[in-house]
Amino acid sequence: MASSLMKDSPSAPAGPEKTFFGHPRGLATLFMTEMWERFSFYGMRALLTIYLISGGSDASKGLQGGGLGMDLATTTAVYSIYLSMVYLLAMPGGWLGDRVWGPRKTVTIAACTIMLGHLTLALPGTGSFFAGLALVALGSGLLKANISTMVGHLYDGPNDPRRDGGFTIFYMGINIGAFFAPLIIGTVGETYNWHLGFALAAVGMGIGLVMFLLGTKHLSPESSRVPTPLSREERLTWLRKGMTWLLIAAVFYGVVGLSGNFTLNWAMVPLTLAGIAIPAAVLIRIKRDKELSAAEQTRMSGYIWFFVAAAVFWMIYDQGGSTVQAFGTTKAAGELFGLGFPSSWYQSLNPVFIMALAPVFAWFWLWLSRRGQEPSTVVKFAAGLFLVGVSFFFFLIPLAMAADGTLVSPMWLVGIYLIQTVGELCVSPVGLSVTTKMAPGKYASQMMGVWFLAVTAGDSVTGLLSIGGVDLGKTGVVALEALLACLAGFAVFMYRRKVRALMGDIR
């Protein structure tokens, strides 16, 4: 597939060197690697909620048997904690790439870890399921930060005019993989066999790994370099700390397990608390750094507004794969226009909407900018929060319709995902941009990881609520979340002048 996309570039230097849509050939390698990695990631994720709520030995609620048969609260907690850990582990993943292995080696190790995780998920049993989930989260965290770094290495610095276009092509790979994954992995796993679906996810990552290894010769030599390697003393210090914490955890959980008191909450509660505490600690550490200039300190105060707003947004948005998916699986009709389909296909809606609407939004913002009417970053964030709230107010309608056992039309879920995607396009790309613009010089390379921590914080709050027994699929809870998001969006809009003042000359 990659070779068919290659073409001679008329603007290339002298010689027969081939390019990928006018970009460095290494972009094809990273595009294919990321596309297949996202295929495996989103394919497994499309099955996750359905597998967790399906019955153990019978077809509970019309679902295939053989799942774990969890209630919705536990299912949402597991799903939310898994996602929060993926984004939390992106920071240490970036650190390992910068200081230990270099981006290229880190991505190779990450891909092997992800593939092993999916193969472990393919084994029956609760223990192998959670072990596989942990491995996939670890590998995804390792890969997430480093593969994007390697895309940047292909270009001649941040001012290379091809750079933004290269990242756009790269992110198309993400959405292509995310779109096809539920249609293939979801169908096989949900219709035929859960573990065969998980095994297909391993195959997808295996293809991505092969593509990466075959194409490494086209990557920048910079991708193999360790930018700031640890000294021998630092290595020993980190190893000592790691082994100490590992020993403490092993002893603690060993005692809990041998005493017969271990439950799933012994693992989930610490992870959710860490997912809230670590993002807060990172922001406080950066904010209190006395080496920052007064202007950088002020911008960080403004950035905290965006971070909290993003955490609220992701807290609701990511329930599209848990609360909304569970509703679609159990309360929505399994056919549309006379054609039946697996409920995992709902997870293909967001990427197809992204691919359709992202160019429209890019054109729309540019059109408004030329007329001097483009909304500020703060207003875009407020709109995104408001829209994700509206999506849950919209969710209340099918919830009410299904209260008496009626199966609702799948079009209600299409509407929910469409509204959420429009909200995402107001928050996600804008948040990535404002993060790079407002980052203090000292933390320029770390702030992207800080942005991902907003996802961690939002999903950890969802997980904590679920562990506490809150049924996030209840009408009252959905209404409360919708109101919270809308009020948060209103607050950001009302304080927009204050936030813009804190941003200084950043727009």
Side-chain angles (χ1 to χ4, degrees):
M1 180 175 177
S3 60
S4 66
L5 292 172
M6 300 295 181
K7 60 179 181 179
D8 290 330
S9 171
S11 59
E17 181 183 353
K18 291 185 177 181
T19 64
F20 183 67
F21 291 118
H23 291 265
R25 193 172 178 182
L27 183 62
T29 298
L30 299 177
F31 175 95
M32 297 299 293
T33 304
E34 181 72 350
M35 185 186 76
W36 283 107
E37 188 274 330
R38 291 290 90 181
F39 175 85
S40 72
F41 178 86
Y42 283 101
M44 186 278 285
R45 201 179 85 161
L47 287 177
L48 185 53
T49 293
I50 310 169
Y51 175 69
L52 289 172
I53 63 175
S54 69
S57 59
D58 59 341
S60 173
K61 298 178 183 177
L63 299 174
Q64 174 200 161
L68 297 187
M70 294 181 177
D71 58 48
L72 181 58
T74 307
T75 295
T76 304
V78 171
Y79 180 90
S80 300
I81 292 168
Y82 164 69
L83 280 190
S84 71
M85 290 301 104
V86 168
Y87 288 94
L88 179 63
L89 290 167
M91 282 202 77
W95 182 86
L96 286 168
D98 284 344
R99 307 216 61 189
V100 181
W101 295 320
R104 190 180 301 188
K105 187 175 182 180
T106 305
V107 166
T108 303
I109 293 170
C112 292
T113 304
I114 293 169
M115 189 164 58
L116 178 61
H118 288 305
L119 289 173
T120 306
L121 284 168
L123 300 174
T126 304
S128 60
F129 170 79
F130 284 108
L133 209 58
L135 286 169
V136 175
L138 175 61
S140 298
L142 286 173
L143 186 139
K144 197 165 193 64
N146 288 284
I147 196 164
S148 296
T149 299
M150 287 195 291
V151 174
H153 288 161
L154 296 173
Y155 299 95
D156 298 326
N159 295 321
D160 189 321
R162 302 171 299 168
R163 187 182 178 93
D164 286 351
F167 272 99
T168 299
I169 294 172
F170 176 72
Y171 285 122
M172 284 298 291
I174 293 175
N175 286 293
I176 291 171
F179 171 69
F180 284 107
L183 304 182
I184 300 172
I185 295 175
T187 300
V188 172
E190 190 178 351
T191 306
Y192 297 101
N193 184 277
W194 301 114
H195 301 289
L196 181 57
F198 294 138
L200 272 180
V203 172
M205 186 67 263
I207 295 173
L209 177 60
V210 171
M211 292 281 187
F212 181 74
L213 295 176
L214 291 176
T216 50
K217 60 182 176 290
H218 301 300
L219 301 178
S220 167
E222 185 73 12
S223 298
S224 296
R225 191 176 70 86
V226 182
T228 53
L230 292 172
S231 65
R232 184 175 180 276
E233 292 75 16
E234 286 176 317
R235 281 179 178 270
L236 290 174
T237 299
W238 278 104
L239 183 61
R240 192 181 305 115
K241 287 180 180 178
M243 292 304 294
T244 299
W245 282 107
L246 183 62
L247 180 62
I248 291 171
V251 170
F252 177 79
Y253 283 104
V255 170
V256 173
L258 290 173
S259 66
N261 293 317
F262 182 82
T263 64
L264 197 55
N265 283 352
W266 279 101
M268 294 199 300
V269 171
L271 290 175
T272 53
L273 293 176
I276 296 170
I278 291 174
V282 169
L283 284 174
I284 291 170
R285 178 175 63 86
I286 296 175
K287 183 71 178 67
R288 289 184 174 179
D289 191 334
K290 294 181 179 179
E291 294 183 15
L292 301 187
S293 67
E296 288 175 327
Q297 287 278 4
T298 301
R299 284 200 295 269
M300 277 306 300
S301 297
Y303 184 76
I304 289 173
W305 277 82
F306 291 109
F307 185 93
V308 173
V312 173
F313 177 87
W314 295 115
M315 180 185 77
I316 297 175
Y317 176 89
D318 276 344
Q319 288 183 56
S322 55
T323 308
V324 180
Q325 175 66 59
F327 177 85
T329 301
T330 58
K331 303 292 179 65
E335 63 177 31
L336 186 64
F337 306 125
L339 300 174
F341 62 93
S343 65
S344 54
W345 285 18
Y346 287 122
Q347 297 306 306
S348 286
L349 290 172
N350 173 255
V352 78
F353 287 150
I354 288 285
M355 288 188 285
L357 295 177
V360 176
F361 268 69
W363 169 84
F364 183 60
W365 297 139
L366 185 60
W367 182 77
L368 289 176
S369 178
R370 287 171 177 165
R371 287 157 178 75
Q373 298 175 340
E374 183 182 3
S376 67
T377 299
V378 185
V379 173
K380 290 177 184 177
F381 252 75
L385 276 169
F386 182 77
L387 283 167
V388 83
V390 168
S391 76
F392 262 35
F393 277 127
F394 187 79
F395 187 19
L396 292 174
I397 302 173
L399 276 173
M401 293 171 64
D404 60 356
T406 301
L407 293 179
V408 304
S409 168
M411 291 304 295
W412 288 106
L413 281 92
V414 173
I416 293 169
Y417 288 117
L418 176 59
I419 297 168
Q420 289 189 344
T421 301
V422 175
E424 180 189 1
L425 289 170
C426 292
V427 170
S428 188
V430 176
L432 289 168
S433 177
V434 80
T435 297
T436 58
K437 291 176 182 177
M438 296 179 71
K442 181 179 178 180
Y443 297 99
S445 61
Q446 298 179 41
M447 283 299 288
M448 199 56 70
V450 174
W451 167 251
F452 289 139
L453 288 180
V455 185
T456 296
D459 284 329
S460 294
V461 171
T462 303
L464 200 58
L465 290 171
S466 299
I467 292 169
V470 177
D471 185 348
L472 296 175
K474 290 291 186 183
T475 301
V477 179
V478 171
L480 190 60
E481 289 185 274
L483 183 62
L484 170 65
C486 289
L487 288 175
F490 181 72
V492 170
F493 181 78
M494 291 302 294
Y495 282 88
R496 64 190 182 281
R497 290 185 178 85
K498 178 179 180 179
V499 178
R500 288 179 66 181
L502 292 171
M503 293 172 68
D505 57 353
I506 302 298
R507 289 291 177 265

